[in-house]
Amino acid sequence: MVPKMLVLFLIIFHGSLTLASDPDPVFDFCLPSGTHSPCKNSSLAKVEDFIFSGIKFPGKFINGSGFSSIAVNSNVFPGLNTLGMSMVRADFDVGGVNVPHFHPRATEVAVVLEGKIYSGFVDTSNRIFAKVIEKGEVMVFPRGLVHFQMNVGETPATIIGSFDSQNPGLMKIPAAVFGSGIKEDLLEKAFGLSPEELAKLKKRHASHSLG
């Protein structure tokens, strides 16, 4: 008969293996398969799966914002799948603004390719860290902190941002507050707004809530 202590050990050990996970990828890569299997057979991989050309050119400015962004994630770039990273190209017209926002699941590192960008973030004690950064300079935005950018130069500007998450998430503060359906009297009291002012803000940001 197997000793009781050995049986107990095997139960505990097996349970710990069941709950354990490997923090790093266990394959060279994992291209989405689109089937019941999480990864496409590696023999079917081709070099094009690991190259993305979608940020060679700037995106289109919409809604008069003077800002456009092109996300680079595993949805459009299969080679990124399971690698824990993603990117974005952001373009700014003169005076263009990337409104205060945050990424709940990622730290961002942004490098200026062209132009002059007033760039910064606010920490949890409401201290602001902001400065005009120029071509070749890099700024980091810690995970979950509100940050922003504005083109303060006389020519269009471009930033490339890199995230340490396959899906960093995006919460734009104006759209989250005024475009999400929060009760109107709460917003009026919180921001000291009149019903007319609030209605104007809600109308302005409702169309951006999915952007």
Side-chain angles (χ1 to χ4, degrees), residues 128-149:
I128 188 171
F129 298 82
K131 184 180 180 180
V132 175
I133 56 176
E134 304 183 21
K135 181 178 180 178
E137 294 189 301
V138 179
M139 188 167 190
V140 62
F141 306 114
R143 175 180 176 177
L145 296 187
V146 172
H147 54 283
F148 49 83
Q149 293 119 355

Side-chain angles (χ1 to χ4, degrees), residues 89-111:
R89 172 177 176 148
D91 291 285
F92 301 76
D93 202 354
V94 176
V97 172
N98 188 7
V99 300
H101 63 282
F102 66 94
H103 307 287
R105 294 182 289 274
T107 291
E108 178 181 3
V109 177
V111 57

Side-chain angles (χ1 to χ4, degrees), residues 71-74 80 83-88 106 161-168:
V72 184
N73 52 47
S74 60
L80 285 177
L83 299 186
M85 61 189 304
S86 53
M87 297 177 64
V88 65
S162 178
F163 305 98
D164 62 345
S165 171
Q166 180 170 316
N167 182 17

Side-chain angles (χ1 to χ4, degrees), residues 17-97:
L17 286 179
T18 304
L19 296 175
S21 62
D22 194 321
D24 295 311
V26 295
F27 301 107
D28 291 342
F29 50 82
C30 176
L31 300 176
S33 69
T35 65
H36 62 281
S37 176
C39 304
K40 183 189 295 186
N41 190 313
S42 61
S43 66
L44 300 176
K46 52 189 184 299
V47 67
E48 287 78 13
D49 292 320
F50 305 98
I51 298 172
F52 181 72
S53 303
I55 57 172
K56 291 172 65 175
F57 305 104
K60 296 181 179 180
F61 301 133
I62 58 174
N63 300 321
S65 66
F67 173 77
S68 71
S69 63
I70 303 173
V72 184
N73 52 47
S74 60
N75 293 330
V76 296
F77 188 7
L80 285 177
N81 189 48
T82 74
L83 299 186
M85 61 189 304
S86 53
M87 297 177 64
V88 65
R89 172 177 176 148
D91 291 285
F92 301 76
D93 202 354
V94 176
V97 172

